[in-house]
Amino acid sequence: MKRFLLALSIVVLAASQPASGQDKIQKAKECFRQGDYQAVIDGLRSTPATDIHYKDALLLLSQSYLAVGQADSAEARGRILLGFNDKNIEAILAVNRALVAQKKIKEAYTLIRKGLKSKKNHAGMLIQLGNVHSAADSVEQAIVAYAQAKESDPKALEAYIGLGESYRRLQACAVAILQYEEAAALDSSRCDLKLTLARLYRQEQRYNDAARSYIAAINCSEDKVTPSLELGTLYILARQYGNAANILANYVTVHPEDLETWAQFNEAVDQAKAWSVGLDVADSILARDAGNVQALKLAAKSSNQMGKATRSPEKHLNAIELFGRLAKIQPLDAEDTKYLGKAHFELRNDTTAIRHLKRSWEMDTTQTDVPMDLGSAYMRVKDWNRASAMFATKIRQDSTSTAAYVNYALCEEQMNNWDNARRALIRGLKQAPNYVGGHYYLAYALQRMDSVQAAKREYETVIALADTQTTRYRNELGDSYRYLAFVGLYEKNYPAALMAIESAMPFRPNDWELALWHAQTLHAMSRRDEARREYERIVRAVPKRKEGIDAQRGLDRLDLGF
């Protein structure tokens, strides 16, 4: 009975060992598929030679050692496996890859040629022969081997990749692209192929194709950082700043310490006015690093500019608070101080805005937007002399800035320097000949200088430019027609005066002096009934004002037959 039980236990033990070994191999294969090569090594390196799954373990160990950079160990396990059968293709390939990794090219070449003698036209070994030639810098021979592998097995993915890389090394990028496109078609899950294609397209200046491939790589890859960075720089080169900001956001959120890319991202945000993107990135960084200087700067600037775009005082207040936090870490630089001034300007804290903008200008007089901002702040507090000086500075910076000429002229008009205003407006209008406001201000300056005909011509220009946009230019059109009416009356050209008056009246319905001109012009043209009705309308509306009194006198003259 004891002998029977002992025999039974031996049978049970023998039966359990294969199942246990099989489980270990299956677990190792799963770890290998997941890229956990060290787990494969830890689980299988103690497998005894007596284990029936020993050969499977050797192959997995060889592949895993190679993956973690231990090519000598990979070769050793592969050679043990090869010792069981020197025609074992998997063993030949495992040893060969390890030899190539150790730059033992001659040995690798001898081994793979020997393998091909026993298994001609085997796609895997032909691909490895191509790899050996490639490692020896024999690119043309590598191409031959890869092409043979491709012919042997049209679905051999690595043959296409090998051909693509070989042609790339020969600077035949167009041909390389064709090979990689075929490879990507065979396996659409390979994100690395999409990234390689994107780089080749970019090199060939096929920028739209490059962008599409970069986006595909970003969408399918766990590592979105590298393709995002490369696509972002591509968009910067193409001056597609909005796309650049959106794409680089992925990278700089993870790597705010990369100051070169951070600068590119800032440029993209500025150029595209992508303030919401900038603020989202900055907030993400500040959530994990509240003292990050770069993020504080970006958050403050973006919040301020968003406030300006959306007319949100809360955004400006947030910007001021963020600049306060930044100032506790380090002194504000010229740009920080400028945007702090802009925030106060938008909140109509004019004195504070002027102080910060002036300080920013003192720190850096090469800034191109501060003269306009500081000039506008001085205008708001009616410091016309200082405002004029800042706009003059802007003109010296940029002689094509129409806004600078116009604002300078408006300041000079406030100081009754009409000729300075005239000259500035003429220069400004050379840059923007269809600018309605410029012609309007010039007409007014000429009017104040008693240049009647020159003023008349400018007002006529205003009418010609603005007559199809009556809602937008209501005031300008009303004033222009009114002045033409005045000139017509002055010259006793009553038909012209009447036409101008009746054109002006819809824009100035409560201008009773204009209404009086209307009645008087009709009276002068002997259109007595129309004149009477207009006089009576004025008397009813404003009986005690000068216009009403003069209208009553007009009625009296009509009654006397004049």
Side-chain angles (χ1 to χ4, degrees):
M1 183 65 178
K2 288 181 180 179
R3 288 181 180 177
F4 173 76
L5 290 174
L6 179 60
L8 180 61
S9 66
I10 291 172
V11 171
V12 170
L13 181 61
S16 66
Q17 279 183 344
S20 175
Q22 181 67 28
D23 289 344
K24 185 185 289 187
I25 292 296
Q26 290 302 322
K27 184 178 179 181
K29 286 181 178 179
E30 182 61 30
C31 290
F32 188 86
R33 279 192 293 269
Q34 294 174 1
D36 190 355
Y37 305 115
Q38 192 58 50
V40 177
I41 294 168
D42 293 341
L44 296 181
R45 62 184 163 193
S46 60
T47 303
T50 57
D51 193 303
I52 61 173
H53 298 290
Y54 182 56
K55 295 177 184 179
D56 293 331
L58 286 172
L59 181 60
L60 283 167
L61 280 168
S62 178
Q63 294 169 336
S64 298
Y65 275 123
L66 185 62
V68 299
Q70 297 181 33
D72 53 345
S73 297
E75 181 189 351
R77 286 351 184 249
R79 287 197 180 280
I80 295 172
L81 180 60
L82 192 60
F84 289 101
N85 177 4
D86 64 2
K87 294 181 181 179
N88 183 327
I89 294 173
E90 289 183 328
I92 293 170
L93 292 174
V95 174
N96 201 274
R97 289 168 185 146
L99 289 171
V100 171
Q102 297 174 83
K103 302 189 185 318
K104 298 178 179 179
I105 305 303
K106 289 184 178 180
E107 288 184 55
Y109 180 75
T110 301
L111 178 61
I112 201 69
R113 292 303 303 180
K114 181 180 178 182
L116 281 166
K117 285 181 180 179
S118 61
K119 190 69 174 177
K120 292 181 179 180
N121 298 324
H122 185 276
M125 285 200 286
L126 285 169
I127 290 169
Q128 187 56 30
L129 176 60
N131 294 341
V132 172
H133 284 309
S134 183
D137 291 328
S138 299
V139 181
E140 290 84 356
Q141 291 177 282
I143 288 173
V144 172
Y146 291 132
Q148 289 174 337
K150 181 178 170 181
E151 184 178 350
S152 176
D153 181 2
K155 294 185 178 180
L157 179 67
E158 295 301 320
Y160 294 91
I161 295 173
L163 282 168
E165 177 59 18
S166 298
Y167 283 119
R168 186 197 64 78
R169 289 176 65 181
L170 292 175
Q171 302 298 311
C173 289
V175 183
I177 286 171
L178 293 174
Q179 302 303 320
Y180 277 112
E181 285 175 338
E182 291 190 71
L186 284 172
D187 188 353
S188 60
S189 68
R190 286 282 296 268
C191 299
D192 59 320
L193 297 179
K194 295 178 174 64
L195 184 56
T196 299
L197 268 172
R199 289 166 175 167
L200 287 169
Y201 286 138
R202 179 172 180 170
Q203 188 173 335
E204 288 292 284
Q205 299 182 357
R206 292 171 57 178
Y207 297 125
N208 290 333
D209 290 330
R212 281 192 289 270
S213 290
Y214 275 125
I215 291 169
I218 292 168
N219 290 336
C220 80
S221 175
E222 292 184 7
D223 172 23
K224 301 184 185 301
V225 171
T226 300
S228 294
L229 175 59
E230 294 185 19
L231 177 56
T233 57
L234 176 64
Y235 280 136
I236 289 282
L237 290 173
R239 297 188 178 182
Q240 295 184 26
Y241 294 110
N243 289 332
N246 287 321
I247 292 297
L248 287 176
N250 292 328
Y251 179 80
V252 296
T253 300
V254 179
H255 295 289
E257 74 284 353
D258 183 344
L259 298 184
E260 182 179 353
T261 306
W262 184 269
Q264 291 180 322
F265 175 67
N266 264 288
E267 179 190 5
V269 168
D270 285 346
Q271 293 291 338
K273 295 180 171 48
W275 310 117
S276 61
V277 176
L279 189 57
D280 287 345
V281 167
D283 285 345
S284 296
I285 296 168
L286 291 172
R288 63 178 188 269
D289 181 5
N292 186 288
V293 169
Q294 298 300 115
L296 279 171
K297 285 173 173 281
L298 179 60
K301 178 174 71 174
S302 297
S303 184
N304 180 63
Q305 297 302 92
M306 281 185 69
K308 184 176 180 179
T310 60
R311 300 181 182 275
S312 169
E314 292 77 13
K315 293 293 185 185
H316 297 303
L317 291 169
N318 183 53
I320 292 169
E321 186 269 331
L322 288 164
F323 279 125
R325 286 168 55 185
L326 178 61
K328 292 178 181 178
I329 299 173
Q330 66 177 38
L332 301 184
D333 61 22
E335 184 178 72
D336 301 328
T337 309
K338 172 181 70 178
Y339 281 106
L340 178 56
K342 287 175 182 281
H344 282 290
F345 180 81
E346 295 298 331
L347 292 170
R348 306 192 77 82
N349 300 329
D350 299 324
T351 303
T352 306
I354 288 170
R355 185 175 73 250
H356 289 303
L357 289 169
K358 185 178 177 182
R359 174 60 181 152
S360 175
W361 181 245
E362 290 169 349
M363 295 168 74
D364 181 5
T365 57
T366 66
Q367 297 178 92
T368 57
D369 53 344
V370 173
M372 290 296 292
D373 292 331
L374 187 50
S376 298
Y378 279 132
M379 283 183 79
R380 191 181 279 174
V381 298
K382 295 180 169 43
D383 190 341
W384 308 115
N385 192 48
R386 286 191 174 91
S388 175
M390 292 313 300
F391 293 128
T393 298
K394 177 60 181 178
I395 290 169
R396 287 192 292 273
Q397 285 183 337
D398 180 7
S399 61
T400 66
S401 175
T402 302
Y405 284 114
V406 171
N407 285 343
Y408 172 81
L410 292 175
C411 294
E412 291 298 305
E413 286 183 359
Q414 291 294 328
M415 296 184 289
N416 295 323
N417 296 328
W418 301 107
D419 193 51
N420 286 349
R422 178 189 66 82
R423 284 183 287 155
L425 288 165
I426 288 172
R427 291 177 65 186
L429 286 168
K430 287 181 179 178
Q431 314 302 324
N434 294 327
Y435 176 39
V436 174
H439 287 286
Y440 175 71
Y441 298 134
L442 177 56
Y444 182 69
L446 292 166
Q447 177 184 337
R448 293 301 300 267
M449 295 173 69
D450 293 327
S451 299
V452 177
Q453 293 305 316
K456 179 174 178 285
R457 286 193 296 272
E458 286 301 318
Y459 279 125
E460 288 171 340
T461 301
V462 172
I463 292 168
L465 292 172
D467 211 23
T468 58
Q469 302 180 67
T470 55
T471 302
R472 179 178 180 183
Y473 295 113
R474 182 180 183 83
N475 291 334
E476 291 86 348
L477 285 166
D479 288 348
S480 298
Y481 282 120
R482 195 181 198 279
Y483 188 76
L484 295 185
F486 167 79
V487 173
L489 291 172
Y490 178 78
E491 296 175 345
K492 296 186 179 181
N493 183 351
Y494 296 121
L498 182 63
M499 184 181 295
I501 290 167
E502 292 181 344
S503 296
M505 289 178 73
F507 301 108
R508 304 177 70 92
N510 298 316
D511 186 338
W512 297 108
E513 183 180 42
L514 184 65
L516 181 63
W517 290 358
H518 188 218
Q520 290 170 338
T521 303
L522 291 167
H523 193 166
M525 296 173 69
S526 299
R527 293 166 62 172
R528 300 170 66 84
D529 292 342
E530 294 172 84
R532 181 180 292 279
R533 285 194 295 272
E534 189 69 345
Y535 281 138
E536 289 173 346
R537 185 175 74 88
I538 297 167
V539 170
R540 287 194 302 271
V542 288
K544 295 183 179 181
R545 282 176 46 170
K546 182 180 183 301
E547 294 87 349
I549 295 168
D550 287 345
Q552 184 59 57
R553 288 173 181 162
L555 286 171
D556 293 343
R557 292 184 70 232
L558 283 172
D559 290 341
L560 292 171
F562 293 105

